[in-house]
Amino acid sequence: MNQSNISDMHDCYGCGVCSKSCPVHIIDIKLNRKGFYEPYITDPDRCTHCGLCRDVCAFIKDDLAVCNKPLASYAVWSKDHRVQRKCSSGGAGLEIALYLLKQGYKTIGVRYNAEKGRAEHFVASTIEELVQTAGSKYIQSYPVDGWRGVDRKNKYLVTGSPCQIDSFRTYMKRMRLPEENFILLDFFCHGVPSMNAWKKYVDFVEKKTGKITYASWRNKFTGWHDSWAMGIDGKVHGEKIDWHDSYNMLIKEKKSYYQSQMSKGDKFYALFLDDCCLGDQCYHHCKYKYDHSSADIRICDLWGKTYQDNQDGVSGAVAFTEKGKDVLQRINCQLTEQPFDVVAEGQMKVCPPYKFWYKKIEDSLSDPSKDIDDAIDIINKQRQKARWNNRFRHPFRTSYHMIKKLLLVLFHQ
């Protein structure tokens, strides 16, 4: 085992920052058997054993790159109603990027590459490119191309999951990059689902749409609070997207051929939001829940009682640095200062528990001979087992409900 590079790293965050740090460019990341990105050395003989890849790795460190606490927290929504409707919540992320674009910043953001079937980081320099970053992508991103597009001379808004941002902050400190050239933005993270789950879902959907050309994980056609909805178009069924079209055309709301909601049993969301297919790091090694972040700004959907009647979407935004606070106060958004616990209401405070039967899900998703319904069957069987266990633990309550149902049937005949 070579401790001078990351050749021994498995089940890590898959942030890919080690690939950026390597002076001889021999580190890439690829999916492991479980469907999560992890680094590998493409040419071991060329390794100089400098140790930079381990120096910037957030996974092997106990503490965050910085230990800032929230300075200010806000409810946020775009003053451009089209942006508010297009984005997953209130449009804070896109408005931050649009403001910084005017200030000369490029954005390291995430888009969905339908041809490769993956989310990926890239460098966005125009409004048309920024629109591709709008909306959440609930799969692990391939970040290498985005990181490699960064140089110390330009200014960047860098966006990503908390673990990606923590590693990038460590990289900035290790390489002594000028702090004034970077704004770092992360989000309250639920966890990272296996790409095996996404690939099984794609196989299922493409039987209806043909090869996928467009995918969206959130839309508000049924309201913001019921917006966990997949919208997918394919070559056989669906509208083609031209990302070189004007901003005004791209920002419009779009209905896709395939529509599926979490509230109506969407298969991908059943796996993801039930925490059945997350990475080992999400269950056992996440340091970034709640108010732990290395970013300048953290954003989220502002769930909770305060805005429960709002159907247009409200973002939560937390400033962890003065620089982040200054940016938030300058964007084209309505800001209402709120206590942190209001902004963070409904967000995960600790890692989700790992249940023994998740291994069955992992094995099913890793098996080429099985489809997504095989994994869903495992979930359904566990739910049924839990219901029966609950009935046996509470026999009097179970008898009461059975008698109540029987009486209702008898009196309705």
Side-chain angles (χ1 to χ4, degrees), residues 233-278:
D233 287 318
K235 288 185 177 180
V236 177
H237 297 289
E239 177 185 353
K240 184 178 180 181
I241 293 292
D242 181 4
W243 293 113
H244 299 287
D245 203 347
S246 71
Y247 170 76
N248 287 334
M249 287 295 291
L250 290 173
I251 206 67
K252 69 179 182 179
E253 293 181 78
K254 178 185 184 303
K255 284 191 175 181
S256 298
Y257 174 81
Y258 178 82
Q259 300 277 336
S260 179
Q261 293 172 249
M262 179 192 75
S263 61
K264 295 184 179 179
D266 179 77
K267 299 175 190 293
F268 174 75
Y269 278 128
L271 289 163
F272 172 37
L273 293 181
D274 277 4
D275 304 328
C276 300
C277 63
L278 306 183

Side-chain angles (χ1 to χ4, degrees), residues 188-390:
F188 285 98
C189 184
H190 182 89
V192 177
S194 168
M195 281 294 289
N196 289 342
W198 176 245
K199 289 179 178 180
K200 300 282 190 188
Y201 186 78
V202 167
D203 291 342
F204 164 74
V205 174
E206 285 187 341
K207 293 175 183 177
K208 306 174 187 293
T209 65
K211 172 70 175 176
I212 288 177
T213 58
Y214 170 83
S216 169
W217 281 256
R218 298 282 296 277
N219 68 62
K220 298 171 183 171
F221 295 119
T222 55
W224 171 45
H225 293 280
D226 193 21
S227 61
W228 300 90
M230 298 298 309
I232 293 176
D233 287 318
K235 288 185 177 180
V236 177
H237 297 289
E239 177 185 353
K240 184 178 180 181
I241 293 292
D242 181 4
W243 293 113
H244 299 287
D245 203 347
S246 71
Y247 170 76
N248 287 334
M249 287 295 291
L250 290 173
I251 206 67
K252 69 179 182 179
E253 293 181 78
K254 178 185 184 303
K255 284 191 175 181
S256 298
Y257 174 81
Y258 178 82
Q259 300 277 336
S260 179
Q261 293 172 249
M262 179 192 75
S263 61
K264 295 184 179 179
D266 179 77
K267 299 175 190 293
F268 174 75
Y269 278 128
L271 289 163
F272 172 37
L273 293 181
D274 277 4
D275 304 328
C276 300
C277 63
L278 306 183
D280 287 355
Q281 70 278 14
C282 300
Y283 297 116
H284 309 300
H285 205 74
C286 179
K287 301 174 285 191
Y288 312 104
K289 296 303 184 192
Y290 208 55
D291 59 352
H292 295 82
S293 173
S294 285
D296 297 294
I297 302 169
R298 171 168 285 184
I299 59 174
C300 64
D301 284 70
L302 207 164
W303 306 122
K305 298 177 182 178
T306 307
Y307 294 95
Q308 62 185 356
D309 295 326
N310 183 295
Q311 289 296 342
D312 292 327
V314 180
S315 297
V318 182
F320 282 85
T321 64
E322 289 291 347
K323 183 168 53 174
K325 183 178 179 180
D326 180 66
V327 169
L328 288 173
Q329 291 176 342
R330 294 175 184 272
I331 61 178
N332 184 38
C333 285
Q334 176 67 44
L335 263 66
T336 302
E337 192 158 5
Q338 296 283 2
F340 177 80
D341 58 355
V342 170
V343 172
E345 185 177 357
Q347 304 297 338
M348 297 174 72
K349 295 184 178 181
V350 296
C351 297
Y354 182 85
K355 300 176 182 177
F356 73 93
W357 56 271
Y358 289 175
K359 182 67 167 59
K360 295 180 181 179
I361 297 282
E362 178 187 296
D363 291 341
S364 178
L365 294 174
S366 302
D367 188 338
S369 68
K370 295 186 177 181
D371 59 28
I372 195 167
D373 285 325
D374 293 303
I376 297 298
D377 284 343
I378 295 171
I379 296 175
N380 290 336
K381 287 177 181 177
Q382 289 299 322
R383 286 175 176 169
Q384 187 178 40
K385 183 178 179 180
R387 285 195 294 269
W388 278 108
N389 286 341
N390 187 57

